[in-house]
Amino acid sequence: MKKIVTMLCVCVLSLSLFGCSKPENNVELKKNVSCQLLDVLTITNESDNSTYYYYLASIENKGKKPYNTQNLSYRVTDDNEKEISVIDKYQSTPTYVINKGQNTYIYGYIGFPNNDQKNLGISFNNKKQFLPFKAFKIRKASDKNVKDSKELKYTFFEDDTLKMDVDASKAKYVYENNETVLKNVKITYKNKTDSRIIVPYLTPSATLEGIDLEDKGEFKSMEEIQKHDFTTNGMAPKTQSFKASVTGYVLYFLDKKQTVNTEIEFHFGNAAPDFTDKNTKPFIVHMNSKAFGKSNTFKIGLE
């Protein structure tokens, strides 16, 4: 009887050890071509009751022949079966060939209302392969670490792994190529860890409360606009709101201990500030994050 009890204990112990082990962080897409997770981040937004998953993975070719990523299809599913009702998503699509001994990255995110997802992961090639996110140690972030600020220079987000700073304290505006350009607005991303991490990058936007320059003449500089008389019968010019087209670059990930400064420009076509009242702050800039459910706003005035 004692021997039977001992055998049962050994069986239970074995089941506990193997039943709780992590799934392997590797799937073979085809012979000698595999995919491995490099980072997974979840962002919990308690105010909106939503969750975002960001993921970064590497596809490596150890074969003798090139691997064309155009043959690759992937999407995020729950347990390789269930479709997810999403509120936002993005995934990069590599379109080049991976030669022998080389690799490439896939990056994406998916946001959804908090519900019953159990085993999210990347499903490849019509569910032939599945790489669960829980195969990797998932980092966690929260909207509680976002700072609400109207200052021109501040920290948008910071936790133990990542810091995101905003600096518009030295912003300037010029007029060139028939548009007003707001320059020198910077976002700095800093990786505090010794590993490569994914970045939930910000998506800035801006508006200009100003004058429509359509049919107002040709201008070569902001100085010319500032000196021009836009009044009509002694009345101040009509102002309106103009949305900017935004240029800069999107940052997907940071290498260990890496810091990257990104400069953002806002372009307002055929529009300029109204210099009638120099006390106004016509540039309204928003630092947006859907994942965190935040949009910090600050205003930039005239010189």
Side-chain angles (χ1 to χ4, degrees):
M1 182 68 181
K2 187 175 182 180
K3 185 180 290 186
I4 294 174
V5 172
T6 304
M7 289 294 291
L8 285 173
C9 289
V10 171
C11 290
V12 170
L13 180 60
S14 299
L15 286 171
S16 299
L17 289 172
F18 290 102
C20 296
S21 62
K22 273 190 174 184
E24 186 177 358
N25 181 17
N26 188 285
V27 293
E28 190 173 65
L29 304 178
K30 62 174 295 185
K31 187 176 180 180
N32 295 319
V33 178
S34 62
C35 182
Q36 181 179 14
L37 290 168
L38 300 178
D39 191 29
V40 180
L41 169 69
T42 62
I43 297 178
T44 302
N45 183 340
E46 295 185 4
S47 57
D48 290 346
N49 193 34
S50 65
T51 297
Y52 271 68
Y53 275 78
Y54 284 76
Y55 55 90
L56 178 69
S58 172
I59 300 175
E60 185 176 8
N61 181 11
K62 294 182 179 179
K64 296 180 180 180
K65 296 181 179 180
Y67 175 69
N68 192 335
T69 56
Q70 289 182 335
N71 299 325
L72 175 70
S73 64
Y74 72 96
R75 58 195 174 93
V76 175
T77 65
D78 188 11
D79 208 22
N80 203 27
E81 291 293 337
K82 298 178 182 177
E83 297 293 333
I84 303 170
S85 178
V86 301
I87 55 178
D88 190 19
K89 68 177 180 178
Y90 170 80
Q91 64 183 46
S92 64
T93 307
T95 56
Y96 55 88
V97 171
I98 308 174
N99 292 317
K100 175 185 175 181
Q102 295 184 344
N103 66 339
T104 188
Y105 301 106
I106 58 174
Y107 165 97
Y109 59 79
I110 184 168
F112 50 86
N114 287 331
N115 44 35
D116 296 326
Q117 278 80 25
K118 302 296 183 184
N119 187 25
L120 291 180
I122 307 174
S123 179
F124 295 94
N125 302 321
N126 295 319
K127 302 181 181 179
K128 291 180 181 178
Q129 300 94 11
F130 182 65
L131 183 57
F133 289 151
K134 64 184 180 183
F136 194 86
K137 184 178 180 180
I138 299 175
R139 293 190 297 121
K140 295 182 179 181
S142 169
D143 58 344
K144 292 181 178 180
N145 292 90
V146 176
K147 180 180 178 181
D148 293 321
S149 176
K150 295 182 180 180
E151 300 297 321
L152 297 182
K153 186 176 182 179
Y154 68 100
T155 296
F156 182 92
F157 171 86
E158 185 173 14
D159 65 5
D160 294 337
T161 61
L162 176 67
K163 185 179 182 183
M164 297 190 287
D165 290 327
V166 175
D167 187 359
S169 61
K170 297 180 181 179
K172 62 180 181 179
Y173 52 89
V174 297
Y175 189 81
E176 54 190 22
N177 300 320
N178 297 318
E179 61 182 11
T180 293
V181 184
L182 180 63
K183 298 184 175 185
N184 209 31
V185 177
K186 297 180 179 180
I187 304 173
T188 300
Y189 301 93
K190 180 180 180 180
N191 179 3
K192 297 181 176 183
T193 76
D194 291 320
S195 304
R196 178 176 290 149
I197 64 171
I198 202 164
V199 174
Y201 57 85
L202 302 182
T203 54
S205 61
T207 58
L208 166 63
E209 297 298 321
I211 303 171
D212 186 352
L213 297 182
E214 192 76 32
D215 301 324
K216 297 289 195 306
E218 294 291 330
F219 301 96
K220 294 182 179 180
S221 67
M222 194 63 75
E223 288 74 18
E224 285 187 15
I225 294 172
Q226 190 170 357
K227 294 176 182 178
H228 188 83
D229 183 8
F230 289 99
T231 60
T232 303
N233 298 324
M235 301 290 290
K238 179 183 177 181
T239 59
Q240 61 189 80
S241 182
F242 297 89
K243 289 185 178 181
S245 60
V246 185
T247 60
Y249 68 90
V250 172
L251 187 67
Y252 286 163
F253 61 85
L254 289 166
D255 287 325
K256 64 178 183 179
K257 299 295 185 182
Q258 185 181 21
T259 298
V260 173
N261 297 306
T262 64
E263 185 169 338
I264 311 300
E265 291 187 354
F266 302 95
H267 297 252
F268 305 91
N270 288 315
D274 176 15
F275 289 94
T276 304
D277 183 2
K278 289 191 175 182
N279 292 321
T280 61
K281 294 183 177 181
F283 297 99
I284 305 171
V285 180
H286 311 278
M287 290 293 161
N288 310 306
S289 171
K290 287 185 178 180
F292 287 113
K294 300 292 184 180
S295 180
N296 288 348
T297 301
F298 54 84
K299 296 182 179 182
I300 297 174
L302 299 175
E303 297 175 352

